[in-house]
Amino acid sequence: ALFGLLSYLFIAIGIVGRNLKSPIFFNSINIFKVSRFIVLGNLISFLLLLILIFFIKAPEGLIINPYSWKAIAYKLSPIVWSIYIFSVCDLLFPFAKIFTEAKENVVLIFTAIGIFVFLSYPNLINPIGDFWANLLLMPTIRLVSAISQVFGLNFQQFSNSLHKDPLFGSSQFYVEIASTCSGYEGLSLVIILLGSYCFMQRQFMLFPRALIIIPIGGLMMFLLNAFRIFILVAIGHYWSPKVALNGFHSVSGWLNLLITLIFSFLILNYVPYFQREDKAKDLFKWGDTVLMTPLIALIITGLLTKVVTSDFLWLYPVHILVACVLLYVFRKPFLLLLIRPSILSVLIGVVTFVFWIWLIPEDAFQSSQFNMQIHSAPLWLATLWLIFRVIGASLIVPIAEEFTFRGYIQPHLQNWLSQKGLQSFSVVLSLVATSLLFGYVHSDFLAGTVAGVLFGLAYLQRKSVMDAVVAHAVTNALLAGYVLTFGYWSYW
């Protein structure tokens, strides 16, 4: 039902947009015609599916009478579903147009298909992952031992009679080093992300020089992973095993990845050796990259504060203060985005709030745990924390996230797709890709993706980041009120 609702939302946007005099959003998707047969097949198949859902409530009962009209209709339902899904896809992305433009982007299309097939079959990935994990495990442990010796500590490997994975640490605190702790996942991400970045920016870089950054980034990730294990054991030995396992261990891998990627991107963009003539950037000229700084600050601060906390995130106000400092430092470019928001952006915010609480049920256990932590703190501390939480959720987080996703990623992705000959689909593809990424970084993928689509539409109606910010702020403000009114703390 949700898939049908969202698909009809896109179809309605595409059809109604043709009648607008100056459609900013629809310029790219209005150049192809809608087939009457496809529309008719879509409507008929959708109505048939509604009829099946209405009349066939319990398919298990059809086994008793397999030759009834309901049983026969249910057996034919996969054909109706196929027609419906095909017609929806053709309405959104006309196959004839895709085949025409695919000829000009053969490498890009085959790469996307290869990645999709590879990720769809875990049996292809797992043996490769196991091979690299086992290959890197012992060198990682030896490096951690060497690091501990440099610091004058006697961390060492212990025999493990219960499991095949080795134990490492001190006599007071030790951890089991599984093969997955060898850092091969981080190495894989570094190679994929840096390789993709070099490919997309190849017109600005010197090859094969730029590819040197890939082994450099991989080596840096390997070294940081060894330091991660060393610091984990040190925290558990000298401070708190609970903080080591529940705090530092849960975020240190992401910190290593961020450090490696930021270092690599700075090298690629600001060192003339890797750039074509006159293409190297000035370190102090941020351009529109400055739009990502508030969210990057929130992410890094969140990871750093998580390192020293194991349960409740009492250091949340630090995140907001750091983001506020960056918003003030870069206030001049940010103030240029301030325009009067549209009424539609407010309505989109309300609709997104309804979708959010509908798609994510309240978790009673998490709410009780949150409630216990808040009430166990002094009144002044709990009140101050809640004030920062409301301000952060309703204002700072919407600004930071929308500046990044709708202010930077979505338009840049749309421009890149247009340059690759996919101008007809650049708007829709950039919207979908950005929304999927937005859903990935949120606690619930489906709800986050739906919210990303709606915030993306708010931005596209006037190409105004402020409309997306207001829609997001309205959603989060309503959610904050909902949480405080009914005590559904799990939404926070």
Side-chain angles (χ1 to χ4, degrees), residues 305-332:
T305 55
K306 179 67 175 176
V307 166
V308 296
T309 55
S310 58
D311 295 322
F312 196 77
L313 195 58
W314 286 111
L315 295 177
Y316 179 82
V318 177
H319 309 177
I320 304 307
L321 292 174
V322 171
C324 287
V325 169
L326 279 176
L327 288 172
Y328 176 78
V329 170
F330 297 109
R331 62 189 180 280
K332 289 185 178 180

PDB file of all heavy atoms in Angstrom, residues 305-332:
ATOM      1  N   THR A 305      31.799  12.320  21.687  1.00  0.00           N
ATOM      2  CA  THR A 305      31.131  12.264  22.990  1.00  0.00           C
ATOM      3  C   THR A 305      30.668  10.850  23.314  1.00  0.00           C
ATOM      4  O   THR A 305      30.616  10.459  24.483  1.00  0.00           O
ATOM      5  CB  THR A 305      29.935  13.224  23.027  1.00  0.00           C
ATOM      6  OG1 THR A 305      29.048  12.935  21.930  1.00  0.00           O
ATOM      7  CG2 THR A 305      30.387  14.664  22.944  1.00  0.00           C
ATOM      8  N   LYS A 306      30.332  10.090  22.271  1.00  0.00           N
ATOM      9  CA  LYS A 306      29.926   8.698  22.497  1.00  0.00           C
ATOM     10  C   LYS A 306      31.090   7.867  23.020  1.00  0.00           C
ATOM     11  O   LYS A 306      30.897   6.877  23.737  1.00  0.00           O
ATOM     12  CB  LYS A 306      29.405   8.107  21.180  1.00  0.00           C
ATOM     13  CG  LYS A 306      28.963   6.650  21.266  1.00  0.00           C
ATOM     14  CD  LYS A 306      27.733   6.477  22.134  1.00  0.00           C
ATOM     15  CE  LYS A 306      27.257   5.034  22.096  1.00  0.00           C
ATOM     16  NZ  LYS A 306      26.113   4.799  23.011  1.00  0.00           N
ATOM     17  N   VAL A 307      32.315   8.273  22.669  1.00  0.00           N
ATOM     18  CA  VAL A 307      33.507   7.552  23.120  1.00  0.00           C
ATOM     19  C   VAL A 307      33.587   7.506  24.638  1.00  0.00           C
ATOM     20  O   VAL A 307      34.013   6.508  25.231  1.00  0.00           O
ATOM     21  CB  VAL A 307      34.775   8.214  22.530  1.00  0.00           C
ATOM     22  CG1 VAL A 307      36.024   7.714  23.228  1.00  0.00           C
ATOM     23  CG2 VAL A 307      34.866   7.933  21.030  1.00  0.00           C
ATOM     24  N   VAL A 308      33.159   8.579  25.301  1.00  0.00           N
ATOM     25  CA  VAL A 308      33.325   8.680  26.757  1.00  0.00           C
ATOM     26  C   VAL A 308      32.022   8.457  27.503  1.00  0.00           C
ATOM     27  O   VAL A 308      31.948   8.687  28.704  1.00  0.00           O
ATOM     28  CB  VAL A 308      33.918  10.061  27.135  1.00  0.00           C
ATOM     29  CG1 VAL A 308      35.305  10.206  26.559  1.00  0.00           C
ATOM     30  CG2 VAL A 308      33.016  11.203  26.656  1.00  0.00           C
ATOM     31  N   THR A 309      30.958   8.039  26.805  1.00  0.00           N
ATOM     32  CA  THR A 309      29.687   7.752  27.476  1.00  0.00           C
ATOM     33  C   THR A 309      29.233   6.364  27.081  1.00  0.00           C
ATOM     34  O   THR A 309      29.461   5.914  25.963  1.00  0.00           O
ATOM     35  CB  THR A 309      28.603   8.768  27.088  1.00  0.00           C
ATOM     36  OG1 THR A 309      28.465   8.793  25.655  1.00  0.00           O
ATOM     37  CG2 THR A 309      28.949  10.149  27.591  1.00  0.00           C
ATOM     38  N   SER A 310      28.570   5.687  27.981  1.00  0.00           N
ATOM     39  CA  SER A 310      28.147   4.318  27.704  1.00  0.00           C
ATOM     40  C   SER A 310      26.633   4.149  27.700  1.00  0.00           C
ATOM     41  O   SER A 310      26.120   3.208  27.104  1.00  0.00           O
ATOM     42  CB  SER A 310      28.754   3.362  28.730  1.00  0.00           C
ATOM     43  OG  SER A 310      28.365   3.746  30.051  1.00  0.00           O
ATOM     44  N   ASP A 311      25.912   5.029  28.370  1.00  0.00           N
ATOM     45  CA  ASP A 311      24.458   4.870  28.466  1.00  0.00           C
ATOM     46  C   ASP A 311      23.744   6.062  27.843  1.00  0.00           C
ATOM     47  O   ASP A 311      23.583   6.140  26.635  1.00  0.00           O
ATOM     48  CB  ASP A 311      24.045   4.699  29.941  1.00  0.00           C
ATOM     49  CG  ASP A 311      24.603   3.418  30.527  1.00  0.00           C
ATOM     50  OD1 ASP A 311      24.646   2.410  29.810  1.00  0.00           O
ATOM     51  OD2 ASP A 311      25.015   3.435  31.699  1.00  0.00           O
ATOM     52  N   PHE A 312      23.350   6.992  28.665  1.00  0.00           N
ATOM     53  CA  PHE A 312      22.574   8.138  28.210  1.00  0.00           C
ATOM     54  C   PHE A 312      23.500   9.226  27.656  1.00  0.00           C
ATOM     55  O   PHE A 312      24.598   9.452  28.183  1.00  0.00           O
ATOM     56  CB  PHE A 312      21.758   8.709  29.380  1.00  0.00           C
ATOM     57  CG  PHE A 312      20.665   9.629  28.952  1.00  0.00           C
ATOM     58  CD1 PHE A 312      19.494   9.125  28.421  1.00  0.00           C
ATOM     59  CD2 PHE A 312      20.810  10.997  29.075  1.00  0.00           C
ATOM     60  CE1 PHE A 312      18.478   9.985  28.027  1.00  0.00           C
ATOM     61  CE2 PHE A 312      19.809  11.857  28.686  1.00  0.00           C
ATOM     62  CZ  PHE A 312      18.633  11.350  28.164  1.00  0.00           C
ATOM     63  N   LEU A 313      23.067   9.890  26.603  1.00  0.00           N
ATOM     64  CA  LEU A 313      23.897  10.894  25.942  1.00  0.00           C
ATOM     65  C   LEU A 313      23.712  12.254  26.623  1.00  0.00           C
ATOM     66  O   LEU A 313      23.104  13.171  26.085  1.00  0.00           O
ATOM     67  CB  LEU A 313      23.529  10.982  24.452  1.00  0.00           C
ATOM     68  CG  LEU A 313      24.538  11.709  23.553  1.00  0.00           C
ATOM     69  CD1 LEU A 313      25.904  11.052  23.640  1.00  0.00           C
ATOM     70  CD2 LEU A 313      24.043  11.711  22.112  1.00  0.00           C
ATOM     71  N   TRP A 314      24.302  12.383  27.803  1.00  0.00           N
ATOM     72  CA  TRP A 314      24.182  13.633  28.545  1.00  0.00           C
ATOM     73  C   TRP A 314      24.987  14.759  27.907  1.00  0.00           C
ATOM     74  O   TRP A 314      24.751  15.941  28.202  1.00  0.00           O
ATOM     75  CB  TRP A 314      24.649  13.432  29.989  1.00  0.00           C
ATOM     76  CG  TRP A 314      23.690  12.658  30.829  1.00  0.00           C
ATOM     77  CD1 TRP A 314      23.855  11.404  31.322  1.00  0.00           C
ATOM     78  CD2 TRP A 314      22.391  13.093  31.260  1.00  0.00           C
ATOM     79  NE1 TRP A 314      22.750  11.017  32.045  1.00  0.00           N
ATOM     80  CE2 TRP A 314      21.835  12.044  32.026  1.00  0.00           C
ATOM     81  CE3 TRP A 314      21.649  14.258  31.073  1.00  0.00           C
ATOM     82  CZ2 TRP A 314      20.574  12.122  32.593  1.00  0.00           C
ATOM     83  CZ3 TRP A 314      20.393  14.346  31.644  1.00  0.00           C
ATOM     84  CH2 TRP A 314      19.867  13.283  32.394  1.00  0.00           C
ATOM     85  N   LEU A 315      25.914  14.435  27.027  1.00  0.00           N
ATOM     86  CA  LEU A 315      26.737  15.460  26.376  1.00  0.00           C
ATOM     87  C   LEU A 315      26.106  15.980  25.090  1.00  0.00           C
ATOM     88  O   LEU A 315      26.777  16.653  24.302  1.00  0.00           O
ATOM     89  CB  LEU A 315      28.132  14.893  26.079  1.00  0.00           C
ATOM     90  CG  LEU A 315      28.973  14.533  27.305  1.00  0.00           C
ATOM     91  CD1 LEU A 315      30.302  13.924  26.884  1.00  0.00           C
ATOM     92  CD2 LEU A 315      29.211  15.765  28.174  1.00  0.00           C
ATOM     93  N   TYR A 316      24.831  15.695  24.868  1.00  0.00           N
ATOM     94  CA  TYR A 316      24.153  16.183  23.655  1.00  0.00           C
ATOM     95  C   TYR A 316      24.251  17.698  23.489  1.00  0.00           C
ATOM     96  O   TYR A 316      24.419  18.184  22.362  1.00  0.00           O
ATOM     97  CB  TYR A 316      22.688  15.740  23.671  1.00  0.00           C
ATOM     98  CG  TYR A 316      21.905  16.206  22.473  1.00  0.00           C
ATOM     99  CD1 TYR A 316      21.966  15.510  21.268  1.00  0.00           C
ATOM    100  CD2 TYR A 316      21.105  17.346  22.536  1.00  0.00           C
ATOM    101  CE1 TYR A 316      21.250  15.938  20.165  1.00  0.00           C
ATOM    102  CE2 TYR A 316      20.387  17.778  21.437  1.00  0.00           C
ATOM    103  CZ  TYR A 316      20.463  17.069  20.253  1.00  0.00           C
ATOM    104  OH  TYR A 316      19.753  17.508  19.161  1.00  0.00           O
ATOM    105  N   PRO A 317      24.134  18.504  24.558  1.00  0.00           N
ATOM    106  CA  PRO A 317      24.275  19.959  24.375  1.00  0.00           C
ATOM    107  C   PRO A 317      25.600  20.366  23.732  1.00  0.00           C
ATOM    108  O   PRO A 317      25.648  21.393  23.052  1.00  0.00           O
ATOM    109  CB  PRO A 317      24.167  20.499  25.815  1.00  0.00           C
ATOM    110  CG  PRO A 317      23.311  19.500  26.518  1.00  0.00           C
ATOM    111  CD  PRO A 317      23.724  18.177  25.938  1.00  0.00           C
ATOM    112  N   VAL A 318      26.654  19.574  23.922  1.00  0.00           N
ATOM    113  CA  VAL A 318      27.938  19.896  23.293  1.00  0.00           C
ATOM    114  C   VAL A 318      27.797  19.863  21.774  1.00  0.00           C
ATOM    115  O   VAL A 318      28.349  20.699  21.065  1.00  0.00           O
ATOM    116  CB  VAL A 318      29.030  18.917  23.759  1.00  0.00           C
ATOM    117  CG1 VAL A 318      30.349  19.196  23.056  1.00  0.00           C
ATOM    118  CG2 VAL A 318      29.199  18.999  25.278  1.00  0.00           C
ATOM    119  N   HIS A 319      27.040  18.885  21.247  1.00  0.00           N
ATOM    120  CA  HIS A 319      26.816  18.801  19.795  1.00  0.00           C
ATOM    121  C   HIS A 319      26.219  20.098  19.280  1.00  0.00           C
ATOM    122  O   HIS A 319      26.665  20.658  18.260  1.00  0.00           O
ATOM    123  CB  HIS A 319      25.860  17.653  19.451  1.00  0.00           C
ATOM    124  CG  HIS A 319      26.218  16.345  20.050  1.00  0.00           C
ATOM    125  ND1 HIS A 319      25.446  15.218  19.909  1.00  0.00           N
ATOM    126  CD2 HIS A 319      27.280  15.966  20.810  1.00  0.00           C
ATOM    127  CE1 HIS A 319      26.003  14.211  20.536  1.00  0.00           C
ATOM    128  NE2 HIS A 319      27.113  14.650  21.102  1.00  0.00           N
ATOM    129  N   ILE A 320      25.182  20.572  19.974  1.00  0.00           N
ATOM    130  CA  ILE A 320      24.440  21.752  19.514  1.00  0.00           C
ATOM    131  C   ILE A 320      25.325  22.995  19.595  1.00  0.00           C
ATOM    132  O   ILE A 320      25.311  23.835  18.686  1.00  0.00           O
ATOM    133  CB  ILE A 320      23.165  21.927  20.361  1.00  0.00           C
ATOM    134  CG1 ILE A 320      22.321  20.645  20.308  1.00  0.00           C
ATOM    135  CG2 ILE A 320      22.362  23.111  19.864  1.00  0.00           C
ATOM    136  CD1 ILE A 320      22.010  20.168  18.906  1.00  0.00           C
ATOM    137  N   LEU A 321      26.095  23.115  20.661  1.00  0.00           N
ATOM    138  CA  LEU A 321      26.959  24.290  20.806  1.00  0.00           C
ATOM    139  C   LEU A 321      28.019  24.328  19.711  1.00  0.00           C
ATOM    140  O   LEU A 321      28.308  25.395  19.147  1.00  0.00           O
ATOM    141  CB  LEU A 321      27.607  24.287  22.194  1.00  0.00           C
ATOM    142  CG  LEU A 321      26.656  24.509  23.373  1.00  0.00           C
ATOM    143  CD1 LEU A 321      27.400  24.342  24.692  1.00  0.00           C
ATOM    144  CD2 LEU A 321      26.007  25.888  23.296  1.00  0.00           C
ATOM    145  N   VAL A 322      28.610  23.178  19.390  1.00  0.00           N
ATOM    146  CA  VAL A 322      29.624  23.129  18.333  1.00  0.00           C
ATOM    147  C   VAL A 322      29.003  23.520  16.989  1.00  0.00           C
ATOM    148  O   VAL A 322      29.588  24.299  16.219  1.00  0.00           O
ATOM    149  CB  VAL A 322      30.255  21.728  18.254  1.00  0.00           C
ATOM    150  CG1 VAL A 322      31.139  21.595  17.023  1.00  0.00           C
ATOM    151  CG2 VAL A 322      31.065  21.443  19.515  1.00  0.00           C
ATOM    152  N   ALA A 323      27.825  22.983  16.695  1.00  0.00           N
ATOM    153  CA  ALA A 323      27.154  23.325  15.437  1.00  0.00           C
ATOM    154  C   ALA A 323      26.798  24.806  15.388  1.00  0.00           C
ATOM    155  O   ALA A 323      26.918  25.452  14.329  1.00  0.00           O
ATOM    156  CB  ALA A 323      25.900  22.471  15.267  1.00  0.00           C
ATOM    157  N   CYS A 324      26.370  25.366  16.507  1.00  0.00           N
ATOM    158  CA  CYS A 324      26.040  26.798  16.562  1.00  0.00           C
ATOM    159  C   CYS A 324      27.274  27.661  16.293  1.00  0.00           C
ATOM    160  O   CYS A 324      27.187  28.695  15.618  1.00  0.00           O
ATOM    161  CB  CYS A 324      25.436  27.149  17.916  1.00  0.00           C
ATOM    162  SG  CYS A 324      23.758  26.544  18.155  1.00  0.00           S
ATOM    163  N   VAL A 325      28.407  27.237  16.809  1.00  0.00           N
ATOM    164  CA  VAL A 325      29.649  27.984  16.561  1.00  0.00           C
ATOM    165  C   VAL A 325      29.965  28.016  15.071  1.00  0.00           C
ATOM    166  O   VAL A 325      30.302  29.070  14.508  1.00  0.00           O
ATOM    167  CB  VAL A 325      30.818  27.359  17.358  1.00  0.00           C
ATOM    168  CG1 VAL A 325      32.140  27.958  16.910  1.00  0.00           C
ATOM    169  CG2 VAL A 325      30.619  27.576  18.847  1.00  0.00           C
ATOM    170  N   LEU A 326      29.830  26.875  14.395  1.00  0.00           N
ATOM    171  CA  LEU A 326      30.101  26.832  12.962  1.00  0.00           C
ATOM    172  C   LEU A 326      29.077  27.643  12.168  1.00  0.00           C
ATOM    173  O   LEU A 326      29.419  28.293  11.184  1.00  0.00           O
ATOM    174  CB  LEU A 326      30.107  25.388  12.474  1.00  0.00           C
ATOM    175  CG  LEU A 326      31.400  24.621  12.718  1.00  0.00           C
ATOM    176  CD1 LEU A 326      31.263  23.185  12.281  1.00  0.00           C
ATOM    177  CD2 LEU A 326      32.558  25.277  11.994  1.00  0.00           C
ATOM    178  N   LEU A 327      27.825  27.596  12.582  1.00  0.00           N
ATOM    179  CA  LEU A 327      26.809  28.412  11.910  1.00  0.00           C
ATOM    180  C   LEU A 327      27.126  29.897  12.043  1.00  0.00           C
ATOM    181  O   LEU A 327      26.883  30.677  11.115  1.00  0.00           O
ATOM    182  CB  LEU A 327      25.425  28.117  12.491  1.00  0.00           C
ATOM    183  CG  LEU A 327      24.822  26.756  12.132  1.00  0.00           C
ATOM    184  CD1 LEU A 327      23.545  26.502  12.925  1.00  0.00           C
ATOM    185  CD2 LEU A 327      24.528  26.675  10.633  1.00  0.00           C
ATOM    186  N   TYR A 328      27.688  30.283  13.173  1.00  0.00           N
ATOM    187  CA  TYR A 328      28.057  31.682  13.355  1.00  0.00           C
ATOM    188  C   TYR A 328      29.302  32.035  12.547  1.00  0.00           C
ATOM    189  O   TYR A 328      29.368  33.092  11.928  1.00  0.00           O
ATOM    190  CB  TYR A 328      28.308  31.956  14.844  1.00  0.00           C
ATOM    191  CG  TYR A 328      28.782  33.376  15.114  1.00  0.00           C
ATOM    192  CD1 TYR A 328      27.883  34.440  15.114  1.00  0.00           C
ATOM    193  CD2 TYR A 328      30.129  33.639  15.350  1.00  0.00           C
ATOM    194  CE1 TYR A 328      28.303  35.733  15.348  1.00  0.00           C
ATOM    195  CE2 TYR A 328      30.570  34.931  15.587  1.00  0.00           C
ATOM    196  CZ  TYR A 328      29.654  35.978  15.580  1.00  0.00           C
ATOM    197  OH  TYR A 328      30.086  37.267  15.800  1.00  0.00           O
ATOM    198  N   VAL A 329      30.286  31.139  12.538  1.00  0.00           N
ATOM    199  CA  VAL A 329      31.534  31.407  11.808  1.00  0.00           C
ATOM    200  C   VAL A 329      31.258  31.595  10.320  1.00  0.00           C
ATOM    201  O   VAL A 329      31.805  32.494   9.679  1.00  0.00           O
ATOM    202  CB  VAL A 329      32.537  30.262  12.043  1.00  0.00           C
ATOM    203  CG1 VAL A 329      33.737  30.399  11.110  1.00  0.00           C
ATOM    204  CG2 VAL A 329      32.991  30.253  13.491  1.00  0.00           C
ATOM    205  N   PHE A 330      30.380  30.751   9.758  1.00  0.00           N
ATOM    206  CA  PHE A 330      30.072  30.826   8.325  1.00  0.00           C
ATOM    207  C   PHE A 330      28.726  31.510   8.074  1.00  0.00           C
ATOM    208  O   PHE A 330      28.019  31.178   7.127  1.00  0.00           O
ATOM    209  CB  PHE A 330      30.054  29.419   7.727  1.00  0.00           C
ATOM    210  CG  PHE A 330      31.369  28.713   7.799  1.00  0.00           C
ATOM    211  CD1 PHE A 330      31.554  27.647   8.656  1.00  0.00           C
ATOM    212  CD2 PHE A 330      32.434  29.121   7.000  1.00  0.00           C
ATOM    213  CE1 PHE A 330      32.770  26.982   8.718  1.00  0.00           C
ATOM    214  CE2 PHE A 330      33.650  28.471   7.065  1.00  0.00           C
ATOM    215  CZ  PHE A 330      33.828  27.403   7.921  1.00  0.00           C
ATOM    216  N   ARG A 331      28.384  32.456   8.925  1.00  0.00           N
ATOM    217  CA  ARG A 331      27.062  33.064   8.846  1.00  0.00           C
ATOM    218  C   ARG A 331      26.816  33.820   7.538  1.00  0.00           C
ATOM    219  O   ARG A 331      25.677  33.886   7.062  1.00  0.00           O
ATOM    220  CB  ARG A 331      26.835  33.994  10.039  1.00  0.00           C
ATOM    221  CG  ARG A 331      27.807  35.162  10.119  1.00  0.00           C
ATOM    222  CD  ARG A 331      27.661  35.897  11.446  1.00  0.00           C
ATOM    223  NE  ARG A 331      28.576  37.030  11.568  1.00  0.00           N
ATOM    224  CZ  ARG A 331      29.857  36.925  11.898  1.00  0.00           C
ATOM    225  NH1 ARG A 331      30.365  35.731  12.123  1.00  0.00           N
ATOM    226  NH2 ARG A 331      30.621  38.007  12.005  1.00  0.00           N
ATOM    227  N   LYS A 332      27.865  34.400   6.950  1.00  0.00           N
ATOM    228  CA  LYS A 332      27.663  35.207   5.739  1.00  0.00           C
ATOM    229  C   LYS A 332      27.106  34.379   4.586  1.00  0.00           C
ATOM    230  O   LYS A 332      26.095  34.761   3.991  1.00  0.00           O
ATOM    231  CB  LYS A 332      28.976  35.894   5.354  1.00  0.00           C
ATOM    232  CG  LYS A 332      29.363  37.013   6.310  1.00  0.00           C
ATOM    233  CD  LYS A 332      30.616  37.745   5.823  1.00  0.00           C
ATOM    234  CE  LYS A 332      30.974  38.888   6.767  1.00  0.00           C
ATOM    235  NZ  LYS A 332      32.200  39.611   6.315  1.00  0.00           N
TER     236      LYS A 332
END
